[in-house]
Amino acid sequence: MMPDLASGLMEVTPGIRSHLAGCVACAGKMEGFRQTMALLDEWKAPEPSPYFDVRLQARLREEMAKPQAGWLSWFRRPVLAAALTVLLGVGVGLFFTKGGGRYGSADNVVAVIDSTEPGSAVGDLQALEKNHDLYADFDLLDDLEVQHDVVANP
Amino acid sequence: MEAGALMAAMGPHPASSFQPAVAGEAYTDAEVMLRVKAGDESAFDYLVQKYRRPLVSFMYRMARNTAAAEDLAQEVFLRVYRSRQTYEASAKFTTWLYRIATNLAVNHARDTRHERPEVTVSLDEPDEETGTTLDVPDSKSTAEEFLVRRERMLAIRAKVEALPERQKLAVIMHKYQQMDYKQIADVLKLSESATKSLLFRAYETLREQLKEFV
Ligand SMILES: [Zn+2]
């Protein structure tokens, strides 16, 4: 492929070389690609700033402070997942019952959030939600239409 | 390993305790990631050190400015760390990594589609717009040359940016991340031949549109 040949990513075989020597059209195109590749080299990217590492450390520290659990194996087992759903339903039911009012008191809400320990139903669901955005994003690439490329650049 | 210990190993001059090659036996990145999964956080530090620079430059070319690029590259690492428990070594680590990076970059591009990046022209400071520090011109002729070079760099960026999304991704991975067709095809979930033709169309366009600058 010419851009590869032109940028040295692909070896110019004796066969290609002899063709280029005798074919003005191909030789011209090859030179055009070579110049384009050289031009693209001029667009440099910056090094990560010192701030990058500091900020990443801070964000990782925050991440590590969050509760984590091996939650996924639960959801791989339908029976356990179903049981968990039922338990969660019961828990929510109890919570609303104990709270007296329809939404419970503010104190109870805080208590429930505080009990978010690794392995608990609430903790697992939070972890699930957290991971969900990663996998939801994976579908994004599928949306990029080949057709769009063809139309925009025939 | 304590979080603090990992952090200590993550400074600008890290002393990672993780040895990627022991007694002539090299680990693949997928194997390193499996060690992260098993709780070896120095292995994660090793991956950060290995990929921070490529990811920042990838994100820089995908996003519109340096700050966003760094933020997005950090987000990639956070997502890698966050999903360590579910990592399966079925795909090449770099494919997985760049798939995460690509999704974030595409999302970001869509969110900021209508924002114009700030253009700052400075002769003695790192150029925000092009990301490079050009040599300080010491005479009128070099000052002109500087402006011509800068103009050219902005044109290159604009032309790459104007490519259809997948072509842009393919060019950035091929030209600037030195990835081969197979890797790019895997990240973009395309066949190798589709990836080749995608790249060929992109380079054809760039050759045509950058003619005046060569
Ligand atoms: Zn020919």
Side-chain angles (χ1 to χ4, degrees):
Chain A
M1 189 180 147
M2 274 207 191
D4 269 358
L5 290 170
S7 56
L9 285 170
M10 202 179 186
E11 199 194 342
V12 181
T13 62
I16 294 171
R17 199 189 309 275
S18 69
H19 177 85
L20 287 173
C23 178
V24 179
C26 284
K29 208 167 189 185
M30 179 75 171
E31 178 58 15
F33 274 123
R34 200 195 56 73
Q35 289 172 336
T36 305
M37 296 315 249
L39 202 58
L40 290 174
D41 282 334
E42 287 188 32
W43 186 22
K44 308 284 187 208
E47 290 289 319
S49 68
Y51 184 71
F52 177 84
D53 298 293
V54 176
R55 180 85 186 108
L56 179 58
Q57 284 173 45
R59 292 178 75 178
L60 276 168
R61 201 177 295 129
E62 207 172 287
E63 183 65 34
M64 287 168 174
K66 290 180 188 169
Q68 40 137 321
W71 53 271
L72 195 77
S73 55
W74 292 42
F75 290 88
R76 287 211 184 104
R77 284 176 250 168
V79 177
L80 276 179
L84 180 66
T85 309
V86 171
L87 276 175
L88 189 67
V90 171
V92 169
L94 281 174
F95 167 66
F96 283 135
T97 311
K98 280 174 108 179
R102 196 172 161 205
Y103 296 107
S105 69
D107 285 351
N108 277 337
V109 174
V110 171
V112 166
I113 290 169
D114 279 345
S115 72
T116 313
E117 280 161 22
S120 74
V122 177
D124 283 346
L125 284 176
Q126 283 179 347
L128 177 65
E129 178 145 25
K130 215 165 56 186
N131 280 271
H132 177 73
D133 57 28
L134 177 74
Y135 296 103
D137 277 357
F138 274 18
D139 298 331
L140 227 153
L141 275 177
D142 301 333
D143 301 340
L144 304 180
E145 291 292 324
V146 190
Q147 203 53 39
H148 173 64
D149 296 331
V150 174
V151 172
N153 183 22
Chain B
M1 186 176 179
E2 275 294 298
L6 170 68
M7 292 316 149
M10 285 210 32
H13 305 288
S16 174
S17 58
F18 180 73
Q19 299 295 321
V22 180
E25 198 183 334
Y27 292 107
T28 64
D29 289 339
E31 286 167 336
V32 175
M33 190 59 207
L34 288 176
R35 291 183 58 162
V36 175
K37 184 177 181 174
D40 180 352
E41 284 171 352
S42 67
F44 183 70
D45 172 51
Y46 165 81
L47 292 173
V48 168
Q49 291 309 316
K50 181 168 181 180
Y51 288 103
R52 63 197 271 285
R53 201 167 169 269
L55 278 180
V56 167
S57 78
F58 176 75
M59 287 304 193
Y60 173 73
R61 292 192 172 96
M62 285 301 294
R64 287 167 168 267
N65 63 66
T66 319
E70 296 204 341
D71 194 61
L72 288 164
Q74 287 159 8
E75 188 60 35
V76 174
F77 286 123
L78 284 174
R79 290 190 182 204
V80 167
Y81 186 78
R82 220 174 268 162
S83 48
R84 67 197 179 284
Q85 299 294 351
T86 55
Y87 177 75
E88 305 280 349
S90 52
K92 237 188 128 180
F93 176 76
T94 43
T95 303
W96 187 64
L97 185 74
Y98 276 96
R99 221 174 251 173
I100 295 173
T102 297
N103 280 299
L104 278 167
V106 169
N107 264 330
H108 175 81
R110 287 179 183 179
D111 292 346
T112 59
R113 177 164 299 179
H114 304 293
E115 288 173 23
R116 279 296 308 148
E118 266 185 8
V119 182
T120 55
V121 188
S122 169
L123 297 185
D124 54 8
E125 277 171 34
D127 196 320
E128 263 300 310
E129 180 74 353
T130 62
T132 34
T133 315
L134 297 175
D135 296 334
V136 181
D138 52 10
S139 71
K140 188 169 176 286
S141 70
T142 52
E144 273 165 26
E145 193 187 305
F146 169 88
L147 290 174
V148 169
R149 275 178 64 195
R150 187 173 181 284
E151 181 90 347
R152 205 162 56 201
M153 218 180 302
L154 289 176
I156 295 164
R157 197 183 86 153
K159 297 305 179 192
V160 174
E161 246 180 23
L163 291 170
E165 211 157 48
R166 276 215 288 216
Q167 291 188 24
K168 180 171 75 176
L169 283 162
V171 165
I172 289 173
M173 285 188 269
H174 181 250
K175 183 73 188 106
Y176 299 111
Q177 307 298 121
Q178 281 84 41
M179 290 162 73
D180 61 29
Y181 299 131
K182 173 84 176 79
Q183 287 178 293
I184 298 167
D186 286 347
V187 172
L188 296 179
K189 297 181 182 172
L190 292 172
S191 69
E192 268 186 72
S193 63
T195 304
K196 276 187 192 180
S197 79
L198 196 70
L199 272 168
F200 191 76
R201 289 202 303 276
Y203 285 128
E204 269 288 341
T205 304
L206 292 172
R207 184 175 67 92
E208 194 58 43
Q209 299 200 341
L210 290 170
K211 251 178 190 165
E212 58 175 308
F213 293 98
V214 299

